[in-house]
Amino acid sequence: TGLHDTVYLSYHYLSHWVFAQFSKLLEVNTLKFYEIGYPVIFLPLFFKLFLLAIKKLSCRTGSFVRSWLFWLLMIVIFTGLFPKFILERFFISNFIIVSESYNLSIIIALFVFLMIAFFKSRDSEGRIFLYSRYSFFIILLPLMIFLMGMTKSSTMVIFVIILFYLFIRYECYKEVIYNISAVLILAVTFLSLKITTQTGINTSEFELFHFFNVVIQKRNESLIWPVTLIFFIILYFFWSIMFIALEKMNLKINGSGSLIENFKKKRTVKMEVVMLLCAAGIIPGLFLKIAGGSANYFSELQKWVSIILILAMAASGSFIKIDMRRITRNLTKFLVILLIIILLSAIIYNCYIEFKSFYDDYSRNKEEYSNIINGGIGDELTLYRAELLEALMELDELTISQKSDSLIYIPVDNEMFWSLKMYPKSLSVPLLVPAVSGIAMIYGLPDEGLIYTKSFGYSLYRTTSKEVMDKSVEELYFEIKRKGYKNLILLDYDNREFSVDFISESNIEEYESYIYGLFRRLSRYCSGEDIGFETIYGVVESLKSNQIPVADIVPEIILDEKSLVSSLDDRKFIESLYLILLDREADENGLKHWLSEIESGRNRRDIIDCFIESNEFEKKIGDID
């Protein structure tokens, strides 16, 4: 996440790695690739494999591009059959592209399915094909399933469950090659889960019916739970129910015999797969507490497999076998027509809502952008956002080595940043910094009181609060040095002025508090050496931890027998005290006063104490504690 340096996060991160390689190849900002490159490259790839899977499952081997029923169903499915506000109440997405990583895992799953179908459905076609088949099942298939798991664990788990069911159903265990493949698939599945699961952190725990009670029922508090459950089953498993009903009708119309006979002849395998998907997908949400509604990634796969199978039926013309006239007689005809009108209205409504949402966002962003460009900004927050993004984009111009050596810090009292509302969940605001600049933060964590800070990778860091994140420049610089970084980039905003300061070994003195400068000067004038920052940091921290007052330690350093200052004559001694303790040249009146004090018999220790007890010194040094 890069919110407190670049810690290792066990997660399904393959999609991020792939997109990073594309960003390097195309020489574009990674965020820009997510916004433009991903939809240009990967969404068409998804639809390509989606249509190939439909073609593979359809009875016809020819093209189905002229099937009006097929394309009508495609439009209905991807527009949303039910009104969007109803789908949202039951946590149902009307599109398969929920996230980039999920989409890439589906792409891999479709690709693997097509390759399995290719090699499984063909008999040996010579030695080259035989070797290719062996290579696929023993090497490529386990590797692809491993990559699927590195992209999205839920997709891999469900895919492997279905794969092993088909392995048993089609008696593949009778061939050695499939047994070897099965063992390797199990091994890479466990390996992938081990890699993508954080050791010692419970990403999920047992809680009965968590997905329904917390995610679904809370969105439908006005309904009693049995009613919610009925609607949930109907809406959530709508496409699976539709496919099973249509498949059963086709089997009955074809006169293929009883359901048991069809099962024995493996004519019900598609229905079995869908039912297994429904059962296996819903189990995690039934028994485990999976944060953020992520149990949905398991349970939604049944919907999209059912949709592919229904579209395959439409592509092969299987719908034509159903006697629609007999079904729609009398009252049923009226109800069917009414249902069609309702569904069409839902599609039109969803289209309107989506386009309105897009247009409203576009208009608002265009107005804000115009205000910034034309200099007509009246809103300080808008100005701040513009300057922040401009600063982050400039930091993105740094080289990769410079970025790797640097950490960004935004002070906790920078309320303009920490109160930004750029996303519904305010805990996501800090992620803007590493996302745009490509540079990790230090103490960029959201406040510990915010929701979800125990999930989504935040649990890798220790629980933090604003008090913990409020650090001095010295503390921050020492911490980044200890972590192996070289530069601290301080982003601040004060009195409508935005500042970006680079703090490194060469200029740390400019940002040090007075106490650090004091000990640096003590070393320079008393021993003739310039000590490093880490040494000064150790001295100051030692004073703090042991509660040793500055008034006790400073005179001892100055008056030590090895000190260069202690051997100076009186005039130069007083001048050195001004430079060391007050960080300025001695004024003539002050110099005369202290020389007269020495002549009257006061010792050097008393004079040092007077300097330390002066108002000028106390204002500069503050409280060491």
Side-chain angles (χ1 to χ4, degrees), residues 540-575:
V540 175
E541 289 300 304
S542 177
L543 290 175
K544 287 181 180 179
S545 60
N546 295 312
Q547 297 183 342
I548 300 174
V550 174
D552 291 347
I553 193 71
V554 169
E556 292 179 9
I557 296 172
I558 295 174
L559 298 175
D560 187 270
E561 61 181 17
K562 294 180 180 179
S563 171
L564 299 176
V565 176
S566 65
S567 61
L568 295 173
D569 60 45
D570 292 339
R571 184 180 185 86
K572 288 185 178 179
F573 176 78
I574 298 298
E575 289 175 342

Side-chain angles (χ1 to χ4, degrees), residues 71-81 239 343-344 347:
W71 292 111
L72 179 63
L73 273 171
M74 277 280 288
I75 293 169
V76 168
I77 288 164
F78 284 99
T79 304
L81 192 58
W239 292 106
L343 295 178
L344 285 173
I347 293 167

